[in-house]
Amino acid sequence: MPVLDTPATTATVSHWIGGKPVAGQSGRSATVWNPATGEARAQVHLASIEEVDHAVAVAKDAFTAWRATPISRRAETMFKLRELVDANRRKIAELITLEHGKTIPDAMGEVARGLENIEFACGIPQMLKGGFSEQASRGVDVYQIRQPLGVVAGITPFNFPAMVPMWMFANAIACGNSFILKPSERDPSVSLYLAELIQKAGVPDGVFTVLQGDKVAVDRLLTHEDVKAISFVGSTSVAKYIYETATQQGKRVQALGGAKNHMLIMPDADIGMAADAAVSAAYGSAGERCMAISVVLAVGAVADPFIDAVQERMAKIKVGPGLEEGNEMGPLITREHRDRVASYVANASAEGATVTVDGREDPASKKDGFFLGTSLIDNVQPGMKCYEDEIFGPVLGVVRVKNYGEALKLINDHPYGNGTAIFTRDGATARQFQFDVDCGMVGVNVPIPVPVAYYSFGGWKSSLFGDLHMYGPEGVQFYTRAKVVTSRWPDPDSSHVDLGFPQVR
Ligand code: NAD
C-alpha cells in the first residue's frame, strides 16, 4: 500500500528488513503525532533486542555479496535512486510534513539537500580510487585500497527525517556496506518510503534496513559485535553517550550533537540583509534546525535598528499547518517540546532579559496542534539559561556587545561549536573571523552555512564526538578502511635469505 494512503491513527509503522515491511513483535510501540492537529497519527513499533539481532544477521548476510558487487554497479543504484527521489520529491516532502510539521517548501528544501548526497555517491568510483607507488623498493610496488566495514548503523534525529539518513546511507551503501537505519520514533514513516525507493533502485534486499525503535534498539546496536560503525545525529547528551559506549566496544563512531549558533553583526553590516537572514535562520522550521541561528551578537549601535528590522519581519510570518499553502512556519514536534521551548520565554524576564516579542501571545499558539509563535528576547547575557541552553524552537536572543573581540570570546567560550555566521561588508574582518572562530562551519553573510555534499558536515566542541565529519569525502573515509598492499613478483635471481628488517634501498 502506498505510504500516504495509510489511514491515520490506526496505522502502524513497521520495520523494513530483508527487503520488506516486517511488523514488530516486541509488543512495544510509541505514538506518532500529527503536530499540526495534535492528533495521534500512527503507532510505531519499537524493536526488541531479538529483533535487532535478526536485522543485523540479515544485513550481515547481504554484505558478503554486496561488497563483491562491482563499484560501477553499486554506483548505478545511486544514479537510479537519484532519479527516483527526484521524481518523488513532493511525496517525500508530504510525509515529512505530516509527522514533523515543517512547511512543504521547507520539506522540499530538506529533500533537495538530502538528494545532493545521493548525487555525490554516484561518483563513488572516483572517491574509492586508491594510491599506487611503483618501485617503492627494487621490484616492489605498494598500493592502498579502501574496503567497506561491514554492517554499519545510523541513528537519526526527528528534525530532518529524510535528509540526515541520506547524509549517511548514500555513502555507506555506495562504499559497499550494509546500512541499518534507526530513525527517530517521532517521525518514522518517511524512512519506509525511502526503503521502497532504495529497493526499486536495485539495491539488494538486506543491504538497507530500517529498524524502528528507542533506546532498547540503540543500545543493542551499540554493543552488537557485528555492527562495525555508528553514525549518530541528535542531542549532545545522547551523542556523548553513543560515542563513549560504542567506542568502548571498539566501533568507529561519528556522533553529531546539539548547537547554539551565534550570528555576529558588525556595525558596517547591511541591516536589512542581516535582519532577513536572522529571521529566516532563527524561525525557519520553527527553529528546529541544528544550524538555526539562536543568538545574535549585535556590535555597538547596530542593535536598535537591527531589532526594529527583525520585529517588522516577524510580524509578517504566517504560522499554521505545514500542508496549507502560504504558511511559513509550522508547529513544534510534540506538545512537551512546545511547552519546554515556551518555558525559556516565560523565564527570560526573571533572568534579567527583555522579552520584546512573546510567541506565547501569538494567536497561532492558541490553535490545535503544537504551535508556538516567534519570540525575540533582548538583553540576553551569558549565564542565563536562554543563552546557555539549546532551545530548539522559534526563539531568538540578542546579546549586545561592545566590539568584535567581546563577540568572538562569547562564541569561543560557548560549549557548542556547530555553526556561526558573521555579517559585515568588510572582507578583512570576515577573514579574521574565519581564522579566529572555534566552530566547524562558518558563514560570511550566509546564516545557515550547511556545506554542499562534496564538503563534509560537522561541528566542533560539544557539537561533535569523533574524528570524522559526516557525508562528503570524510563520509567516504568513515565508511571504509584502508588496506596497504606491498607486492613483489617472483624473481629467483634476487631471492636470498635476509634476517634484517626490510629496507627500501
Ligand atoms: P535525540 O538525541 O533525542 O534523538 C536522536 C536519536 O537518538 C533518536 O533516534 C532517538 O531515538 C535516539 N535516542 C534518544 N534518546 C536516547 C537514549 N537515551 N539512548 C539511546 N538513544 C536515544 O535528538 P532529537 O530530539 O531527535 O533531535 C534534536 C537534536 O538533534 C538537537 O539537539 C539538534 O541540535 C540535534 N541535531 C544535530 C545535528 C548536527 O548535525 N549536529 C543535526 C540535526 C539535529
Side-chain angles (χ1 to χ4, degrees):
M1 194 193 314
V3 182
L4 277 180
D5 294 347
T6 14
T9 64
T10 53
T12 52
V13 185
S14 60
H15 310 298
W16 179 275
I17 302 171
K20 55 180 188 302
V22 173
Q25 303 294 323
S26 70
R28 293 190 315 121
S29 63
T31 301
V32 181
W33 300 95
N34 177 343
T37 62
E39 290 164 346
R41 185 181 128 69
Q43 290 290 315
V44 57
H45 293 293
L46 301 174
S48 63
I49 290 173
E50 294 72 27
E51 287 169 310
V52 176
D53 288 353
H54 170 64
V56 173
V58 171
K60 189 181 176 190
D61 226 33
F63 171 66
T64 310
W66 184 237
R67 72 164 287 216
T69 302
I71 304 180
S72 55
R73 166 84 190 87
R74 298 204 304 255
E76 193 188 342
T77 64
M78 290 297 133
F79 277 100
K80 288 193 177 144
L81 184 58
R82 193 247 161 240
E83 294 304 297
L84 287 163
V85 170
D86 181 46
N88 292 287
R89 284 177 196 240
R90 174 80 196 189
K91 212 152 138 184
I92 298 169
E94 283 178 13
L95 271 174
I96 294 170
T97 298
L98 271 171
E99 293 183 355
H100 177 282
K102 64 179 75 173
T103 64
I104 288 289
D106 193 25
M108 293 289 277
E110 168 173 356
V111 178
R113 293 306 307 262
L115 188 55
E116 276 181 21
N117 295 276
I118 298 172
E119 289 167 348
F120 177 80
C122 292
I124 206 72
Q126 176 69 15
M127 295 301 301
L128 289 182
K129 274 162 70 175
F132 192 103
S133 301
E134 185 187 51
Q135 198 72 346
S137 183
R138 286 189 193 286
V140 174
D141 300 328
V142 178
Y143 51 98
Q144 190 196 53
I145 51 182
R146 297 203 72 87
Q147 297 189 328
L149 307 177
V151 179
V152 298
I155 299 155
T156 53
F158 79 82
N159 66 326
F160 285 107
M163 181 184 77
V164 171
M166 291 186 214
W167 283 3
M168 302 174 181
F169 73 66
N171 277 336
I173 292 176
C175 287
N177 300 282
S178 290
F179 183 86
I180 297 180
L181 172 64
K182 205 303 283 170
S184 169
E185 58 274 48
R186 299 185 202 156
D187 44 15
S189 295
V190 71
S191 61
L192 291 179
Y193 186 57
L194 292 175
E196 283 178 31
L197 298 183
I198 290 169
Q199 184 178 52
K200 276 194 195 137
V203 173
D205 294 346
V207 170
F208 180 76
T209 299
V210 180
L211 257 183
Q212 309 291 359
D214 56 4
K215 183 168 166 56
V216 172
V218 171
D219 282 347
R220 183 59 187 148
L221 289 168
L222 299 183
T223 53
H224 197 301
E225 64 174 344
D226 288 332
V227 175
K228 302 300 179 196
I230 302 281
S231 298
F232 172 86
V233 176
S235 57
T236 285
S237 58
V238 184
K240 191 161 184 285
Y241 165 76
I242 299 270
Y243 181 77
E244 287 170 354
T245 310
T247 49
Q248 267 186 16
Q249 302 290 321
K251 297 188 199 318
R252 189 175 283 199
V253 185
Q254 49 180 187
L256 277 60
K260 188 82 183 181
N261 305 311
H262 294 59
M263 174 169 158
L264 166 51
I265 308 184
M266 295 300 293
D268 68 343
D270 182 304
I271 299 282
M273 185 183 172
D276 285 341
V279 168
S280 312
Y283 305 123
S285 205
E288 291 174 326
R289 292 182 185 138
C290 68
M291 291 293 275
I293 290 294
S294 48
V295 186
V296 161
L297 304 174
V299 177
V302 88
D304 287 333
F306 170 77
I307 286 174
D308 289 347
V310 166
Q311 275 185 268
E312 199 183 295
R313 286 158 176 78
M314 287 171 77
K316 295 182 191 148
I317 295 175
K318 292 199 186 108
V319 183
L323 283 175
E324 279 176 23
E325 208 168 312
N327 288 332
E328 294 168 289
M329 194 184 102
L332 290 148
I333 185 71
T334 58
R335 182 171 285 114
E336 296 71 33
H337 184 58
R338 190 263 316 268
D339 294 346
R340 183 179 164 276
V341 171
S343 75
Y344 283 97
V345 184
N347 294 335
S349 306
E351 289 190 295
T354 314
V355 178
T356 307
V357 181
D358 188 336
R360 296 170 302 160
E361 288 166 6
D362 189 307
S365 305
K366 314 283 181 291
K367 291 185 186 190
D368 290 337
F370 312 139
F371 291 96
L372 181 65
T374 55
S375 296
L376 182 65
I377 309 179
D378 192 5
N379 297 311
V380 171
Q381 292 284 329
M384 295 177 180
K385 277 182 78 59
C386 62
Y387 176 76
E388 300 297 337
D389 293 1
E390 178 181 43
I391 299 175
F392 221 55
V395 180
L396 179 63
V398 178
V399 182
R400 293 169 181 250
V401 292
K402 287 192 207 65
N403 51 39
Y404 169 85
E406 191 187 339
L408 180 72
K409 184 166 169 15
L410 283 178
I411 302 174
N412 286 354
D413 284 351
H414 203 284
Y416 292 113
N418 214 39
T420 187
I422 186 168
F423 277 69
T424 178
R425 287 192 172 97
D426 185 65
T429 307
R431 188 177 180 281
Q432 191 61 43
F433 182 68
Q434 154 207 311
F435 183 83
D436 289 334
V437 78
D438 288 342
C439 274
M441 293 168 283
V442 181
V444 175
N445 298 314
V446 171
I448 305 188
V450 174
V452 286
Y454 40 96
Y455 286 81
S456 299
F457 181 106
W460 287 9
K461 300 188 279 187
S462 292
S463 297
L464 183 140
F465 301 86
D467 305 307
L468 289 172
H469 288 195
M470 205 160 273
Y471 72 69
E474 293 194 32
V476 173
Q477 224 180 315
F478 182 79
Y479 289 124
T480 54
R481 56 186 168 173
K483 188 181 269 180
V484 179
V485 181
T486 304
S487 90
R488 170 162 43 207
W489 293 100
D491 177 6
D493 290 346
S494 64
S495 177
H496 61 279
V497 173
D498 179 357
L499 298 192
F501 195 66
Q503 296 182 37
V504 291
R505 287 191 182 78

